[in-house]
């Protein structure tokens, strides 16, 4: 049976996340955008009220929430500031390979510390030579006795400079290409792990994006997730689960831009009337509303499929590509409606436009999403 309504619990979750975004995030979003300072204090508060680590099972101290619930949180927090949401949600992305492939013992060991006190985790897939072509990871993991020795450099890693735990994808057999990749848990305190250059980004400046360098890092064999060679599939399955959340945060950005533009259009008087009276503006607002509403439908469908154990590869890619493009288009039109003021840093919409750009790039560019969609259509599973 179809239902488009949230449960009472989900409505409460939405309200909590919205209130948090309004009271704790919005007032500080411009500051973190300007300075690039990591929003640790805000994330501490989010952690304290259960708005972080929501996907970690309750048995490990997490929220035990569904992918749909995670999307409800992501939309609201990103409505407050998507850079802060990216910093917050990086933990959920990083722990997904553990949720997918770890044994119960590994889950307890690696996930419980994240829920005991605020700390950060990063997903380490991307490398200088392995972006869209994720299968060409060059970081190596060599089995020596009971340990793996890891060597390589990861780049553009969200929260890479502040994380205590990393899920790292490395090759245990380079001759096998993507089938030679394996997944590992690496902790920051291991000798040889360091954070490299931090990116000075155009948008989403509140999140930390850094290189992670692995130099002769010895890790116990027990830190491997799944079997040798499972790494690429674990990474792909992780992205299927996380892309609905990126789409949800895109809805948050688009919604914020639409609200700011609508309010402004009602107040701004030109030629003797509010510009909202002009059809040219109304059509732009209508396009914004269509994009926000459609994108949210796709978010819920892609997340619902994941929660119900169904293959959501097609829908996760559709939702991510559509919603991220929507966020870019809606925020660009919001700047247009604000006119000269929209281009000024005194008003909030130029930040949304800069922030939105990254949504079209990370967790698989929107071109890669289209590639995935085309493959799913042409060669259905
Ligand atoms: N689930 C499970 N398995 C999958 C899968 C999925 N969704 N998609 C592919 N696979 C399997 C295939 O069945 C195939 O299996 P076999 O080896 O048994 O044949 C294998 O994986 C290889 O698949 P492909 O032939 O499709 O692989 P490919 O190399 O042609 O390309 C790709 C796949 C879709 C382009 C992939 O490389 C991709 O998604 N690239 C984008 C990477 C990405 O999203 N990076 C984001 C990094 S994280 C980030 O940005 C977060 C952050 O910190 C902000």
């Amino acid at each position: 049976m179809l239902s488009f309504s949230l449960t009472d619990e989900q409505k409460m979750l939405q309200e909590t996340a919205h209130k948090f975004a309004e009271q704790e995030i919005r007032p500080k979003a411009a500051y973190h955008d300007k300075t690039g300072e990591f929003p640790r204090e805000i994330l501490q508060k989010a952690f304290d009220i259960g708005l972080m680590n929501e996907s970690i099972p309750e048995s490990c101290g997490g929220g035990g929430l569904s992918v749909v619930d995670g999307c409800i949180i992501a939309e609201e927090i990103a409505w407050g500031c998507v850079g802060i949401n990216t910093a917050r949600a990086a933990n959920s992305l990083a722990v997904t390979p553990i949720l997918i492939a770890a044994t119960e013992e590994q889950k307890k060991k690696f996930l419980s510390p994240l829920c005991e006190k605020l700390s950060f985790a990063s997903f380490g897939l991307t490398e200088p030579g392995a972006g869209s072509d994720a299968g060409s990871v060059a970081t190596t993991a060599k089995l020596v006795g009971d340990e793996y020795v890891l060597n390589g450099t990861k780049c553009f890693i969200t929260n890479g400079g502040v994380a205590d735990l990393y899920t790292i994808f490395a090759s245990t057999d380079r001759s096998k290409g993507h089938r030679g990749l394996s997944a590992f848990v690496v902790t920051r305190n291991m000798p040889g792990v360091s954070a490299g250059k931090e990116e000075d980004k155009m948008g989403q400046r509140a999140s930390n994006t850094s290189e992670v360098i692995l130099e002769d890092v010895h890790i116990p064999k027990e830190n491997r997730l799944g079997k040798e060679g499972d790494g690429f599939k674990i990474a792909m399955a992780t992205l299927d689960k996380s892309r609905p959340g990126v789409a949800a945060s895109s809805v948050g950005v688009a919604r914020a831009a639409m609200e700011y533009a609508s309010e402004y259009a009602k107040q701004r008087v030109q030629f003797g009337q509010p510009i909202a009276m002009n059809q040219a503006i109304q059509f732009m607002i209508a396009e914004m509303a269509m994009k926000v509403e459609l994108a949210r439908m796709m978010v819920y469908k892609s997340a619902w499929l994941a929660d119900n154990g169904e293959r959501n590869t097609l829908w996760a890619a559709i939702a991510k590509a559509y919603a991220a493009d929507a966020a870019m288009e809606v925020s660009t039109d919001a700047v247009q409606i604000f006119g000269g003021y929209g281009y000024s840093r005194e008003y909030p919409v130029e930040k949304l436009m800069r922030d939105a750009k990254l949504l079209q790039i990370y967790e698989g560019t929107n071109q890669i999403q289209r590639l995935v969609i085309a493959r799913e259509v042409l060669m259905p599973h």
Side-chain angles (χ1 to χ4, degrees):
M1 188 148 91
L2 270 183
S3 166
F4 288 99
S5 48
L6 302 181
T7 63
D8 288 344
E9 287 80 13
Q10 287 171 329
K11 282 183 199 154
M12 268 169 60
L13 183 67
Q14 191 174 45
E15 208 180 299
T16 303
H18 185 74
K19 225 160 123 191
F20 186 78
E22 196 166 42
Q23 294 173 357
E24 304 291 342
I25 298 180
R26 279 254 169 123
K28 300 194 183 109
Y31 171 81
H32 288 282
D33 175 51
K34 199 164 186 179
T35 60
E37 187 182 308
F38 189 70
R40 198 174 284 271
E41 271 176 38
I42 294 174
L43 295 174
Q44 179 66 59
K45 289 182 186 165
F47 175 88
D48 292 342
I49 62 166
L51 292 176
M52 279 188 70
N53 303 318
E54 68 274 5
S55 64
I56 295 181
E58 283 173 313
S59 57
C60 300
L65 298 184
S66 66
V67 181
V68 170
D69 296 336
C71 288
I72 291 169
I73 298 175
E75 178 181 334
E76 298 309 317
I77 303 296
W79 173 89
C81 172
V82 68
I84 292 174
N85 186 59
T86 294
R88 181 199 70 85
N91 275 25
S92 301
L93 173 63
V95 303
T96 303
I98 300 175
L99 297 177
I100 289 171
T103 61
E104 284 310 309
E105 202 185 330
Q106 285 177 316
K107 282 184 195 165
K108 280 243 152 62
K109 183 172 171 198
F110 299 129
L111 300 178
S112 302
L114 281 171
C115 303
E116 278 158 15
K117 70 175 190 33
L118 178 70
S119 61
F120 300 100
S122 291
F123 179 73
L125 176 65
T126 304
E127 297 183 359
S132 291
D133 183 9
S136 65
V137 158
T139 294
T140 54
K142 204 171 158 212
L143 189 59
V144 182
D146 276 349
E147 293 181 328
Y148 283 98
V149 183
L150 270 63
N151 278 290
T153 299
K154 299 287 174 181
C155 65
F156 300 132
I157 303 304
T158 300
N159 290 355
V162 295
D164 287 327
L165 181 144
Y166 302 93
T167 41
I168 294 288
F169 294 84
S171 180
T172 36
D173 187 344
R174 294 218 61 194
S175 70
K176 290 188 178 156
H178 72 265
R179 290 190 181 135
L181 298 191
S182 305
F184 300 93
V185 173
V186 172
T187 51
R188 180 64 191 263
N189 56 11
M190 291 171 167
V193 181
S194 61
K197 181 176 74 120
E198 184 185 338
E199 301 299 333
D200 183 10
K201 303 195 298 297
M202 165 185 166
Q204 301 210 18
R205 292 172 52 75
S207 72
N208 170 281
T209 309
S210 298
E211 274 180 341
V212 175
I213 300 163
L214 306 159
E215 282 171 310
D216 283 331
V217 181
H218 288 247
I219 67 167
K221 215 167 134 186
E222 299 76 53
N223 282 29
R224 193 188 68 223
L225 301 171
K227 296 197 294 293
E228 273 197 10
D230 282 353
F232 191 74
K233 286 190 182 169
I234 295 171
M236 292 299 110
T238 296
L239 293 165
D240 284 347
K241 277 221 154 76
S242 68
R243 284 172 182 159
V246 177
S249 63
S250 306
V251 175
V253 172
R255 195 178 109 211
M258 177 177 74
E259 289 171 4
Y260 282 127
S262 305
E263 272 316 300
Y264 181 80
K266 285 191 274 181
Q267 284 163 19
R268 171 75 173 163
V269 174
Q270 288 290 274
F271 303 108
Q273 62 177 8
I275 61 170
M277 300 297 282
N278 300 330
Q279 228 176 35
I281 299 293
Q282 289 175 7
F283 282 8
M284 284 164 96
I285 300 285
E287 288 290 334
M288 289 177 173
M290 289 194 291
K291 285 169 186 162
V292 167
E293 297 300 332
L294 279 172
R296 191 184 293 111
M297 289 292 125
M298 294 174 202
V299 166
Y300 287 163
K301 174 151 182 180
S302 63
W304 183 90
L305 288 169
D307 284 335
N308 285 276
E310 291 188 37
R311 188 182 162 88
N312 75 332
T313 306
L314 171 67
W315 277 94
I318 290 179
K320 197 275 182 187
Y322 184 84
D325 284 348
M328 191 70 246
E329 290 155 9
V330 173
S331 58
T332 304
D333 279 352
V335 170
Q336 191 67 23
I337 289 175
F338 271 74
Y341 296 109
Y343 208 65
S344 162
R345 294 218 163 155
E346 261 180 59
Y347 290 81
V349 285
E350 60 80 34
K351 171 183 181 290
L352 298 179
M353 189 176 160
R354 285 185 286 109
D355 287 349
K357 191 66 214 164
L358 188 52
L359 297 165
Q360 294 180 304
I361 297 171
Y362 66 19
E363 294 203 30
T365 64
N366 279 9
Q367 287 68 33
I368 287 294
Q369 307 308 320
R370 285 173 170 81
L371 190 92
V372 172
I373 294 164
R375 285 182 185 181
E376 292 285 316
V377 171
L378 295 168
M379 294 166 280
H381 282 81

